[in-house]
Coordinates of all heavy atoms in Angstrom, one line a residue:
M1 N -14.0 0.7 -0.5 CA -12.7 0.3 -0.2 C -11.7 1.1 -1.0 O -11.8 1.3 -2.2 CB -12.6 -1.2 -0.5 CG -11.2 -1.8 -0.1 SD -11.1 -3.5 -0.6 CE -9.4 -3.8 -0.3
R2 N -10.6 1.5 -0.3 CA -9.6 2.3 -0.9 C -8.4 1.4 -1.3 O -7.9 0.7 -0.4 CB -9.2 3.4 0.0 CG -9.5 4.8 -0.5 CD -9.0 5.8 0.5 NE -8.7 7.0 -0.2 CZ -7.9 7.9 0.4 NH1 -7.4 7.8 1.6 NH2 -7.6 9.0 -0.3
K3 N -8.0 1.4 -2.5 CA -6.9 0.6 -2.9 C -5.7 1.6 -3.4 O -6.0 2.6 -4.1 CB -7.3 -0.2 -4.1 CG -6.2 -1.2 -4.6 CD -6.9 -2.1 -5.6 CE -5.8 -2.9 -6.4 NZ -4.9 -3.6 -5.6
I4 N -4.5 1.2 -3.0 CA -3.3 2.0 -3.3 C -2.9 1.6 -4.8 O -2.7 0.5 -5.1 CB -2.2 1.7 -2.4 CG1 -2.6 2.1 -0.9 CG2 -0.9 2.5 -2.8 CD1 -1.7 1.5 0.1
I5 N -2.9 2.6 -5.7 CA -2.4 2.3 -7.0 C -1.0 2.9 -7.3 O -0.4 2.5 -8.2 CB -3.4 2.8 -8.1 CG1 -3.8 4.2 -8.0 CG2 -4.7 1.9 -8.0 CD1 -4.6 4.7 -9.1
R6 N -0.6 3.9 -6.5 CA 0.7 4.4 -6.6 C 1.2 4.8 -5.2 O 0.6 5.6 -4.5 CB 0.7 5.6 -7.5 CG 2.1 6.1 -7.9 CD 2.2 7.1 -9.0 NE 3.5 7.4 -9.4 CZ 4.1 8.6 -9.5 NH1 3.3 9.7 -9.3 NH2 5.3 8.8 -9.9
N7 N 2.4 4.3 -4.9 CA 3.0 4.6 -3.6 C 4.3 5.3 -3.8 O 5.4 4.7 -4.1 CB 3.3 3.2 -2.8 CG 3.9 3.4 -1.5 OD1 4.2 4.5 -1.1 ND2 4.0 2.3 -0.7
A8 N 4.2 6.7 -3.9 CA 5.4 7.4 -4.3 C 5.4 8.8 -3.5 O 4.4 9.3 -3.1 CB 5.3 7.7 -5.8
I9 N 6.7 9.2 -3.4 CA 6.9 10.6 -2.8 C 8.0 11.3 -3.6 O 8.8 10.6 -4.3 CB 7.3 10.5 -1.3 CG1 8.6 9.7 -1.1 CG2 6.2 9.9 -0.5 CD1 9.1 9.8 0.3
Q10 N 8.0 12.6 -3.4 CA 9.2 13.4 -4.0 C 9.9 14.0 -2.8 O 9.3 14.7 -2.0 CB 8.7 14.4 -5.0 CG 9.9 15.2 -5.6 CD 9.4 16.2 -6.6 OE1 8.3 16.6 -6.7 NE2 10.4 16.6 -7.5
C11 N 11.2 13.8 -2.8 CA 12.0 14.3 -1.7 C 12.2 15.8 -1.9 O 12.5 16.3 -3.1 CB 13.4 13.7 -1.7 SG 14.6 14.4 -0.5
K12 N 12.0 16.6 -0.9 CA 12.1 18.1 -1.0 C 13.6 18.5 -1.0 O 13.9 19.7 -1.3 CB 11.4 18.8 0.1 CG 9.9 18.7 0.0 CD 9.2 19.5 1.0 CE 7.7 19.6 0.9 NZ 7.0 20.3 1.9
H13 N 14.5 17.6 -0.6 CA 15.9 18.0 -0.5 C 16.7 17.8 -1.8 O 17.4 18.7 -2.2 CB 16.5 17.2 0.7 CG 15.8 17.5 2.0 ND1 16.1 18.5 2.8 CD2 14.9 16.7 2.6 CE1 15.3 18.5 3.9 NE2 14.5 17.4 3.8
C14 N 16.5 16.6 -2.4 CA 17.2 16.3 -3.6 C 16.3 16.3 -4.9 O 16.8 16.3 -6.0 CB 18.0 15.0 -3.5 SG 16.9 13.5 -3.3
G15 N 15.0 16.3 -4.7 CA 14.1 16.4 -5.8 C 13.8 15.1 -6.4 O 13.0 15.0 -7.4
D16 N 14.4 14.0 -5.9 CA 14.1 12.7 -6.4 C 12.6 12.2 -6.2 O 12.1 12.5 -5.1 CB 15.0 11.6 -5.8 CG 16.4 11.5 -6.4 OD1 16.6 12.3 -7.3 OD2 17.2 10.7 -6.0
T17 N 12.0 11.6 -7.2 CA 10.8 11.0 -7.0 C 11.0 9.5 -6.9 O 11.6 8.9 -7.8 CB 9.8 11.2 -8.2 OG1 9.6 12.6 -8.3 CG2 8.5 10.5 -8.0
I18 N 10.6 8.9 -5.8 CA 10.8 7.5 -5.5 C 9.5 6.8 -5.4 O 8.5 7.3 -4.8 CB 11.7 7.2 -4.3 CG1 11.2 8.0 -3.1 CG2 13.2 7.6 -4.6 CD1 12.0 7.8 -1.8
E19 N 9.4 5.5 -5.8 CA 8.1 4.8 -5.8 C 8.4 3.4 -5.4 O 9.4 2.7 -5.9 CB 7.5 4.8 -7.2 CG 6.2 4.0 -7.3 CD 5.5 4.2 -8.6 OE1 6.0 4.9 -9.5 OE2 4.4 3.6 -8.8
S20 N 7.6 2.9 -4.5 CA 7.6 1.5 -4.1 C 6.6 0.7 -4.9 O 5.4 1.0 -4.8 CB 7.4 1.4 -2.6 OG 7.3 0.0 -2.2
V21 N 7.0 -0.3 -5.7 CA 6.1 -1.0 -6.6 C 5.7 -2.3 -6.0 O 4.7 -2.9 -6.6 CB 6.7 -1.1 -8.0 CG1 6.9 0.2 -8.6 CG2 8.0 -1.9 -8.0
N22 N 6.3 -2.8 -5.0 CA 5.7 -4.0 -4.4 C 6.0 -4.0 -2.9 O 6.8 -3.2 -2.4 CB 6.2 -5.3 -5.1 CG 7.6 -5.6 -4.9 OD1 8.1 -5.8 -3.7 ND2 8.4 -5.7 -5.9
V23 N 5.4 -5.0 -2.2 CA 5.4 -4.9 -0.7 C 6.8 -4.9 -0.1 O 7.0 -4.4 1.0 CB 4.5 -6.0 -0.2 CG1 5.1 -7.4 -0.4 CG2 4.1 -5.8 1.3
H24 N 7.8 -5.5 -0.7 CA 9.1 -5.6 -0.1 C 10.1 -4.7 -0.9 O 11.3 -4.8 -0.8 CB 9.6 -7.0 -0.1 CG 8.8 -7.9 0.7 ND1 8.6 -7.7 2.0 CD2 8.1 -9.0 0.4 CE1 7.8 -8.7 2.5 NE2 7.5 -9.5 1.5
D25 N 9.5 -3.7 -1.6 CA 10.4 -2.8 -2.4 C 10.6 -1.5 -1.6 O 9.8 -0.6 -1.5 CB 9.6 -2.4 -3.7 CG 10.5 -1.7 -4.7 OD1 11.7 -1.8 -4.6 OD2 9.9 -1.0 -5.6
Y26 N 11.8 -1.5 -0.9 CA 12.2 -0.4 -0.1 C 13.1 0.5 -0.9 O 14.2 0.1 -1.3 CB 12.9 -0.9 1.2 CG 13.2 0.2 2.2 CD1 12.3 0.5 3.2 CD2 14.4 0.8 2.2 CE1 12.6 1.5 4.1 CE2 14.8 1.7 3.2 CZ 13.8 2.1 4.1 OH 14.1 3.0 5.1
V27 N 12.7 1.8 -1.2 CA 13.4 2.6 -2.0 C 13.8 3.9 -1.3 O 13.0 4.5 -0.6 CB 12.6 3.0 -3.3 CG1 13.5 3.8 -4.3 CG2 12.0 1.8 -3.9
T28 N 15.1 4.3 -1.4 CA 15.5 5.5 -0.7 C 15.9 6.5 -1.8 O 16.5 6.2 -2.9 CB 16.8 5.2 0.1 OG1 16.4 4.2 1.1 CG2 17.2 6.4 0.9
C29 N 15.7 7.8 -1.5 CA 16.1 8.9 -2.5 C 17.6 9.1 -2.6 O 18.3 8.6 -1.7 CB 15.3 10.2 -2.1 SG 16.0 10.9 -0.7
G30 N 18.0 9.9 -3.5 CA 19.4 10.1 -3.7 C 20.2 10.7 -2.5 O 21.3 10.3 -2.3
C31 N 19.6 11.5 -1.7 CA 20.3 12.1 -0.6 C 20.1 11.3 0.7 O 20.7 11.7 1.7 CB 19.8 13.6 -0.4 SG 18.2 13.8 0.2
G32 N 19.2 10.3 0.7 CA 19.1 9.4 1.8 C 18.1 9.9 2.9 O 18.0 9.3 3.9
V33 N 17.4 11.1 2.7 CA 16.5 11.6 3.7 C 15.2 10.8 3.7 O 14.7 10.5 4.8 CB 16.3 13.1 3.5 CG1 15.1 13.6 4.3 CG2 17.5 13.9 3.8
C34 N 14.7 10.5 2.6 CA 13.3 9.9 2.5 C 13.4 8.4 1.9 O 14.2 8.2 1.0 CB 12.4 10.7 1.6 SG 12.4 12.4 2.0
S35 N 12.5 7.6 2.4 CA 12.3 6.3 1.8 C 10.9 5.9 1.8 O 10.0 6.4 2.6 CB 13.1 5.2 2.7 OG 14.4 5.6 2.8
V36 N 10.5 5.0 0.8 CA 9.1 4.5 0.7 C 9.2 3.0 0.7 O 10.2 2.4 0.3 CB 8.4 5.0 -0.5 CG1 8.0 6.4 -0.4 CG2 9.2 4.7 -1.8
D37 N 8.1 2.4 1.2 CA 8.1 0.9 1.3 C 6.6 0.5 1.3 O 5.7 1.3 1.6 CB 8.8 0.5 2.6 CG 9.0 -1.0 2.7 OD1 8.9 -1.7 1.6 OD2 9.2 -1.5 3.8
G38 N 6.3 -0.7 1.0 CA 5.0 -1.3 1.2 C 4.2 -1.5 -0.1 O 3.2 -2.1 -0.1
G39 N 4.8 -1.0 -1.2 CA 4.2 -1.2 -2.5 C 2.7 -0.8 -2.5 O 2.4 0.3 -2.1
H40 N 1.8 -1.7 -3.0 CA 0.4 -1.3 -3.1 C -0.4 -1.9 -2.0 O -1.6 -1.9 -2.0 CB -0.2 -1.8 -4.5 CG 0.5 -1.1 -5.6 ND1 0.2 -1.5 -6.9 CD2 1.3 -0.1 -5.7 CE1 0.9 -0.7 -7.8 NE2 1.6 0.2 -7.0
D41 N 0.3 -2.4 -1.0 CA -0.4 -3.0 0.2 C -0.5 -2.0 1.3 O -1.6 -2.0 2.0 CB 0.4 -4.2 0.7 CG 0.2 -5.5 -0.2 OD1 -0.3 -5.3 -1.3 OD2 0.5 -6.6 0.3
Y42 N 0.5 -1.3 1.6 CA 0.4 -0.3 2.7 C 1.5 0.8 2.4 O 2.4 0.6 1.6 CB 0.7 -0.9 4.1 CG 2.0 -1.6 4.2 CD1 3.1 -0.9 4.6 CD2 2.1 -2.9 3.9 CE1 4.3 -1.6 4.8 CE2 3.3 -3.6 4.0 CZ 4.4 -2.9 4.5 OH 5.6 -3.6 4.6
L43 N 1.3 2.0 3.0 CA 2.2 3.1 2.8 C 3.1 3.2 4.0 O 2.7 3.4 5.1 CB 1.4 4.4 2.6 CG 0.4 4.5 1.5 CD1 -0.3 5.8 1.5 CD2 1.1 4.3 0.1
R44 N 4.4 3.1 3.7 CA 5.4 3.3 4.8 C 6.4 4.3 4.3 O 6.9 4.2 3.2 CB 6.1 2.0 5.2 CG 7.1 2.2 6.3 CD 7.8 1.0 6.6 NE 7.0 0.1 7.4 CZ 7.3 -1.2 7.7 NH1 8.5 -1.7 7.3 NH2 6.5 -1.9 8.4
R45 N 6.6 5.3 5.1 CA 7.6 6.4 4.8 C 8.6 6.5 5.9 O 8.3 6.3 7.1 CB 6.9 7.8 4.8 CG 6.2 8.1 3.4 CD 4.8 7.6 3.4 NE 4.1 7.9 2.2 CZ 4.2 7.2 1.1 NH1 4.9 6.1 1.1 NH2 3.5 7.6 0.0
S46 N 9.8 6.7 5.5 CA 10.9 7.1 6.4 C 11.4 8.5 6.1 O 11.5 8.8 4.9 CB 12.1 6.1 6.3 OG 11.6 4.8 6.6
Y47 N 11.7 9.3 7.1 CA 12.1 10.7 6.8 C 12.9 11.1 8.1 O 12.9 10.4 9.1 CB 10.9 11.6 6.6 CG 9.8 11.4 7.6 CD1 9.8 12.1 8.8 CD2 8.8 10.5 7.4 CE1 8.9 11.9 9.8 CE2 7.8 10.3 8.3 CZ 7.8 11.1 9.5 OH 6.9 10.9 10.5
K48 N 13.5 12.3 7.9 CA 14.4 12.7 9.0 C 13.7 13.7 10.0 O 13.7 13.4 11.2 CB 15.6 13.4 8.4 CG 16.8 12.5 8.4 CD 18.1 13.2 8.0 CE 19.3 12.1 8.0 NZ 20.2 12.3 6.9
T49 N 13.1 14.7 9.5 CA 12.5 15.7 10.3 C 11.0 15.5 10.5 O 10.5 15.2 11.6 CB 12.8 17.1 9.8 OG1 14.2 17.2 9.5 CG2 12.4 18.2 10.8
S50 N 10.2 15.8 9.4 CA 8.8 15.6 9.5 C 8.3 15.4 8.0 O 9.0 15.8 7.1 CB 8.1 16.8 10.1 OG 8.2 17.9 9.2
P51 N 7.1 14.8 7.8 CA 6.6 14.6 6.5 C 6.5 15.9 5.7 O 6.9 16.0 4.5 CB 5.3 14.0 6.7 CG 5.4 13.3 8.0 CD 6.3 14.1 8.8
E52 N 6.1 17.0 6.4 CA 5.9 18.3 5.8 C 7.3 18.9 5.3 O 7.3 19.5 4.3 CB 5.3 19.3 6.8 CG 3.8 19.0 7.1 CD 3.8 17.8 8.2 OE1 4.8 17.6 8.8 OE2 2.7 17.2 8.3
A53 N 8.3 18.7 6.1 CA 9.6 19.3 5.8 C 10.4 18.4 4.7 O 11.2 19.0 4.0 CB 10.4 19.4 7.1
D54 N 10.1 17.1 4.7 CA 11.0 16.3 4.0 C 10.5 15.8 2.6 O 11.3 15.5 1.7 CB 11.4 15.1 4.8 CG 12.3 15.5 6.0 OD1 13.0 16.5 5.9 OD2 12.3 14.7 7.0
Y55 N 9.2 15.7 2.4 CA 8.8 15.1 1.1 C 7.3 15.6 0.7 O 6.6 16.1 1.6 CB 8.8 13.6 1.1 CG 7.8 12.9 2.1 CD1 6.5 12.7 1.7 CD2 8.3 12.5 3.3 CE1 5.6 12.1 2.6 CE2 7.4 11.8 4.2 CZ 6.1 11.6 3.8 OH 5.2 11.0 4.7
I56 N 7.1 15.5 -0.6 CA 5.7 15.7 -1.1 C 5.1 14.3 -1.4 O 5.7 13.5 -2.1 CB 5.8 16.6 -2.4 CG1 6.5 17.9 -2.1 CG2 4.4 16.8 -3.0 CD1 7.0 18.6 -3.3
D57 N 3.9 14.1 -0.9 CA 3.3 12.8 -1.1 C 2.6 12.7 -2.5 O 1.8 13.6 -2.8 CB 2.3 12.4 0.0 CG 2.2 10.9 0.1 OD1 1.8 10.3 -0.8 OD2 2.5 10.4 1.2
L58 N 3.0 11.8 -3.3 CA 2.5 11.6 -4.7 C 1.6 10.4 -4.8 O 1.3 10.0 -5.9 CB 3.6 11.6 -5.7 CG 4.6 12.7 -5.7 CD1 5.8 12.4 -6.6 CD2 3.9 14.1 -6.1
S59 N 1.2 9.8 -3.7 CA 0.4 8.6 -3.8 C -0.9 8.8 -4.4 O -1.5 9.8 -4.3 CB 0.3 8.0 -2.4 OG 1.5 7.7 -1.9
E60 N -1.4 7.7 -5.1 CA -2.7 7.8 -5.7 C -3.6 6.6 -5.2 O -3.0 5.5 -5.0 CB -2.6 7.7 -7.2 CG -2.0 9.0 -7.8 CD -1.6 8.8 -9.3 OE1 -2.3 8.0 -10.0 OE2 -0.7 9.4 -9.7
Y61 N -4.9 6.8 -5.1 CA -5.8 5.8 -4.7 C -6.9 5.6 -5.7 O -7.2 6.5 -6.4 CB -6.4 6.2 -3.3 CG -5.5 6.4 -2.2 CD1 -4.9 7.7 -2.0 CD2 -5.1 5.4 -1.3 CE1 -4.1 8.0 -1.0 CE2 -4.2 5.7 -0.3 CZ -3.7 7.0 -0.2 OH -2.8 7.3 0.9
A62 N -7.5 4.4 -5.6 CA -8.7 4.1 -6.4 C -9.7 3.6 -5.5 O -9.5 2.8 -4.6 CB -8.4 3.1 -7.5
D63 N -11.0 4.1 -5.6 CA -12.1 3.5 -4.8 C -12.6 2.3 -5.5 O -13.1 2.4 -6.7 CB -13.2 4.6 -4.7 CG -12.7 5.7 -3.7 OD1 -12.2 5.3 -2.6 OD2 -12.9 6.9 -4.0
I64 N -12.6 1.2 -4.8 CA -13.1 -0.1 -5.4 C -14.4 -0.4 -4.8 O -14.6 -0.4 -3.5 CB -12.1 -1.2 -5.0 CG1 -10.7 -0.8 -5.4 CG2 -12.5 -2.5 -5.6 CD1 -10.5 -0.7 -6.9
A65 N -15.4 -0.6 -5.6 CA -16.7 -1.0 -5.2 C -16.7 -2.5 -4.7 O -16.2 -3.3 -5.4 CB -17.8 -0.8 -6.2
T66 N -17.3 -2.7 -3.6 CA -17.3 -4.1 -3.1 C -18.7 -4.6 -2.9 O -19.6 -3.8 -2.5 CB -16.5 -4.3 -1.8 OG1 -17.0 -3.3 -0.9 CG2 -15.0 -4.1 -2.0
C67 N -19.0 -5.8 -3.2 CA -20.3 -6.4 -3.0 C -20.2 -7.5 -2.0 O -19.2 -8.2 -2.0 CB -20.9 -6.9 -4.3 SG -21.2 -5.7 -5.6
T68 N -21.2 -7.7 -1.2 CA -21.2 -8.8 -0.3 C -22.2 -9.9 -0.7 O -23.4 -9.6 -0.9 CB -21.6 -8.3 1.1 OG1 -20.7 -7.2 1.4 CG2 -21.5 -9.4 2.1
Y69 N -21.7 -11.0 -0.9 CA -22.5 -12.2 -1.2 C -22.5 -13.1 -0.1 O -21.5 -13.2 0.6 CB -22.0 -12.9 -2.5 CG -22.0 -12.1 -3.7 CD1 -20.9 -11.4 -4.2 CD2 -23.2 -11.9 -4.4 CE1 -21.0 -10.6 -5.4 CE2 -23.3 -11.2 -5.6 CZ -22.2 -10.5 -6.1 OH -22.2 -9.8 -7.2
G70 N -23.5 -13.9 0.0 CA -23.5 -15.0 1.0 C -22.6 -16.1 0.6 O -22.4 -16.3 -0.6
E71 N -22.0 -16.7 1.5 CA -21.1 -17.8 1.2 C -21.8 -19.1 1.2 O -22.7 -19.4 2.0 CB -19.9 -17.8 2.2 CG -18.9 -16.7 2.1 CD -17.8 -16.8 3.1 OE1 -17.6 -17.9 3.6 OE2 -17.2 -15.8 3.3
F72 N -21.4 -19.9 0.3 CA -22.0 -21.3 0.2 C -21.4 -22.1 1.4 O -20.2 -22.1 1.7 CB -21.6 -22.0 -1.1 CG -22.4 -21.3 -2.3 CD1 -21.7 -20.5 -3.1 CD2 -23.7 -21.6 -2.4 CE1 -22.4 -19.9 -4.2 CE2 -24.4 -21.0 -3.5 CZ -23.7 -20.2 -4.4
D73 N -22.3 -22.8 2.0 CA -21.9 -23.7 3.1 C -21.3 -25.0 2.5 O -22.0 -25.8 2.0 CB -23.0 -24.0 4.0 CG -22.6 -24.8 5.2 OD1 -21.4 -25.1 5.4 OD2 -23.5 -25.1 6.0
K74 N -20.0 -25.1 2.6 CA -19.3 -26.3 2.0 C -19.6 -27.6 2.8 O -19.4 -28.7 2.3 CB -17.8 -26.0 1.9 CG -17.4 -25.0 0.9 CD -15.9 -24.7 1.0 CE -15.6 -23.5 0.0 NZ -14.3 -23.0 0.2
D75 N -20.0 -27.4 4.0 CA -20.3 -28.6 4.9 C -21.7 -29.0 4.8 O -22.2 -29.8 5.6 CB -19.9 -28.3 6.3 CG -18.4 -28.1 6.4 OD1 -17.6 -28.7 5.8 OD2 -18.0 -27.1 7.2
N76 N -22.4 -28.5 3.8 CA -23.8 -28.8 3.7 C -24.1 -30.3 3.4 O -25.1 -30.9 3.8 CB -24.5 -27.9 2.6 CG -25.9 -27.7 2.8 OD1 -26.4 -27.9 4.0 ND2 -26.7 -27.4 1.8
L77 N -23.2 -30.8 2.6 CA -23.4 -32.2 2.2 C -22.6 -33.1 3.2 O -21.4 -33.1 3.3 CB -22.8 -32.5 0.8 CG -23.5 -31.7 -0.3 CD1 -22.7 -31.9 -1.6 CD2 -24.9 -32.3 -0.5
K78 N -23.4 -33.8 4.0 CA -22.8 -34.6 5.1 C -22.7 -36.0 4.7 O -23.6 -36.5 4.0 CB -23.5 -34.4 6.4 CG -23.4 -33.0 6.9 CD -24.2 -32.8 8.2 CE -24.1 -31.4 8.7 NZ -25.0 -31.2 9.9
L79 N -21.7 -36.7 5.1 CA -21.5 -38.1 4.9 C -22.5 -38.9 5.7 O -22.7 -38.6 6.9 CB -20.1 -38.6 5.2 CG -19.0 -38.1 4.2 CD1 -17.7 -38.5 4.8 CD2 -19.2 -38.7 2.9
K80 N -23.2 -39.8 5.0 CA -24.1 -40.7 5.8 C -23.5 -42.0 6.1 O -22.8 -42.6 5.3 CB -25.4 -41.0 4.9 CG -26.2 -39.7 4.7 CD -27.4 -40.1 3.8 CE -28.2 -38.8 3.5 NZ -29.3 -39.1 2.5
K81 N -23.6 -42.3 7.4 CA -23.0 -43.5 7.8 C -24.0 -44.7 7.7 O -25.2 -44.5 8.0 CB -22.6 -43.5 9.3 CG -21.4 -42.5 9.5 CD -20.9 -42.5 11.0 CE -19.7 -41.6 11.1 NZ -19.3 -41.4 12.5
G82 N -23.5 -45.7 7.1 CA -24.4 -46.9 6.8 C -24.5 -47.8 7.9 O -24.9 -48.2 8.8
Ligands
LIG101 ZN1 16.4 13.2 -1.1

């Protein structure tokens, strides 16, 4: 599983590095061409022309190991009617 640990871009027009640190943190660069949003939950970018023309992506990811365990059946204990 891939986890976002940094959601950031650098604008190629004004040179600003902007980072979204939480899911509702919408940040726009100094010249207004690029924006980031989504924090560590998802990556959202706004730009004018194209990602290649407008910004350098500085996002970082971490690979998280996941294990699958069986779930305990909470309904296993049934009420007995007298
Ligand atoms: Zn800019």
Side-chain angles (χ1 to χ4, degrees):
M1 182 185 170
R2 243 178 150 201
K3 186 175 164 53
I4 299 161
I5 56 172
R6 188 170 189 231
N7 181 354
I9 60 173
Q10 182 176 19
C11 176
K12 287 187 177 179
H13 303 277
C14 65
D16 275 4
T17 298
I18 51 175
E19 180 173 2
S20 175
V21 295
N22 70 59
V23 69
H24 298 302
D25 189 22
Y26 186 87
V27 188
T28 304
C29 73
C31 71
V33 167
C34 309
S35 303
V36 288
D37 191 18
H40 296 172
D41 283 16
Y42 57 90
L43 302 177
R44 178 181 287 171
R45 275 91 177 85
S46 298
Y47 48 87
K48 259 186 183 141
T49 311
S50 70
E52 294 78 18
D54 290 336
Y55 65 83
I56 301 160
D57 206 298
L58 305 171
S59 297
E60 293 171 28
Y61 302 89
D63 285 316
I64 307 296
T66 54
C67 299
T68 304
Y69 295 100
E71 288 182 19
F72 290 103
D73 185 2
K74 290 173 183 170
D75 298 319
N76 204 23
L77 297 171
K78 291 179 183 173
L79 289 172
K80 290 177 183 175
K81 290 182 180 177

